[in-house]
Amino acid sequence: MLCPRPETEELVEILLAEIEELIHKRGKKDKGSNGRIRILDVGAGTGAIGIAIAHQLPHHVQVLALDVLPEAVELSNENAQQFLSKLVDSDVGDVSSVYKAVLCPAKEFNAQSRQYPMNFDLVVSNPPYIPSSDMPSLSTDILDYESVEALCGGDDGLDVIRDIVQRLPKVDATQR
């Protein structure tokens, strides 16, 4: 699991602006699942991105977070419980109706489409992007604390990114 960096905060700010724009555009008409903006967070790790969004807009979003590490999924759901439980009221449901992390790689997400509706308004990811040949040259402060799965993006660093991009039409609410 990758610990959040300052760039993560910047990404969340950009996403919140996009979501606010979507909310404004939609107004009171067709708002998707339960009237909320649906977000797919691929490679959720600690849940920092999805939980920060859900924390700011708990009545407007529904985040489904994917990760390949069981520890990441468990920690992400624990973090969601800790940071979102006081914001979620009976009108919204429980924390899992606002944020839920599941164990699933991006390339296998289609297989789970029967369990989770595939109509997402936004897809966000801070995926592994370091080429495998560059991994040995990373500093020890990164290698000692971060999992290889959170860092290494395959031979050219683009494996996870390709998986996400190839599946975008299948998860895009505007394509339905």
Side-chain angles (χ1 to χ4, degrees):
M1 281 169 289
L2 195 59
C3 296
R5 307 269 184 220
E7 295 83 2
T8 305
E9 186 175 335
E10 201 174 321
L11 175 60
V12 168
E13 289 172 3
I14 292 167
L15 289 166
L16 286 169
E18 289 289 324
I19 295 165
E20 292 282 358
E21 188 175 316
L22 272 173
I23 292 167
H24 178 73
K25 282 182 182 177
R26 284 185 177 180
K28 296 197 183 288
K29 61 182 180 180
D30 183 30
K31 295 184 184 177
S33 178
N34 297 322
R36 291 185 237 148
I37 305 291
R38 296 197 70 239
I39 301 162
L40 180 64
D41 182 359
V42 182
T46 62
I49 294 171
I51 293 169
I53 291 167
H55 187 269
Q56 292 297 313
L57 301 166
H59 296 279
H60 296 281
V61 300
Q62 181 179 50
V63 179
L64 180 63
L66 309 179
D67 207 288
V68 297
L69 296 174
E71 312 84 57
V73 171
E74 183 178 346
L75 178 60
S76 184
N77 283 322
E78 287 172 5
N79 287 340
Q81 192 64 40
Q82 179 179 351
F83 293 107
L84 299 176
S85 61
K86 291 180 183 170
L87 300 173
V88 177
D89 55 36
S90 59
D91 292 343
V92 175
D94 63 5
V95 170
S96 67
S97 67
V98 175
Y99 181 94
K100 181 174 184 165
V102 295
L103 185 65
C104 183
K107 65 183 173 186
E108 294 175 15
F109 186 58
N110 285 348
Q112 296 207 5
S113 64
R114 283 178 242 137
Q115 187 174 358
Y116 302 103
M118 298 294 279
N119 57 335
F120 293 94
D121 299 289
L122 292 172
V123 176
V124 62
S125 185
N126 187 3
Y129 58 84
I130 299 171
S132 51
S133 60
D134 291 351
M135 290 297 293
S137 65
L138 293 177
S139 64
T140 55
D141 67 318
I142 294 173
L143 290 173
D144 289 348
Y145 297 100
E146 310 295 354
S147 70
V148 172
E149 293 91 341
L151 300 169
C152 185
D155 290 340
D156 63 357
L158 299 174
D159 286 359
V160 177
I161 295 167
R162 269 191 291 275
D163 288 338
I164 295 167
V165 171
Q166 287 174 351
R167 280 151 186 77
L168 281 178
K170 295 177 179 94
V171 300
D172 183 0
T174 64
Q175 298 295 316
R176 303 240 164 232

